[in-house]
Amino acid sequence: MNRGNFQCYIQSAFRMDDERKIASELAPYKAVGNSFKKIMVTRFEASPWYDDNGIYHIGLADFLLASDELFS
C-alpha cells in the first residue's frame, strides 16, 4: 500500500494455527529487506501486537476499523 510518502506491506490469512502455517504466511515478510511497516491481518479477534520481527498482527475487525494512525 502506498499513501503519499508512506508505504507498507499488508498480508492476510484466514488462520495461523500451527507453526508450519505461521512460517508460510510470514516468509514473504522475512524475505523483504527493507524497513517498511509490515501488517499481518487474520480473522481472529486478538489485541494488536508486534512480534519479535517487528510485524504488526491485527484482527480483521480491528484492521477494518483502524484509524489513519495505523498507516502512518
Side-chain angles (χ1 to χ4, degrees):
M1 177 182 120
N2 290 313
R3 183 181 282 178
N5 291 331
F6 177 77
Q7 182 176 352
C8 72
Y9 299 100
I10 302 171
Q11 171 79 10
S12 64
F14 182 71
R15 62 182 189 173
M16 292 176 42
D17 55 357
D18 63 45
E19 290 301 318
R20 187 172 156 208
K21 181 68 171 170
I22 292 169
S24 171
E25 293 295 341
L26 297 181
Y29 284 154
K30 293 178 181 178
V32 175
N34 60 38
S35 61
F36 294 127
K37 189 171 193 172
K38 297 163 182 73
I39 302 171
M40 185 72 218
V41 181
T42 60
R43 74 174 175 108
F44 297 110
E45 293 183 29
S47 296
W49 58 283
Y50 284 94
D51 68 14
D52 293 339
N53 296 308
I55 299 169
Y56 187 68
H57 295 257
I58 187 169
L60 178 60
D62 288 336
F63 177 78
L64 292 174
L65 296 171
S67 66
D68 284 340
E69 290 180 18
L70 179 62
F71 304 107
S72 60

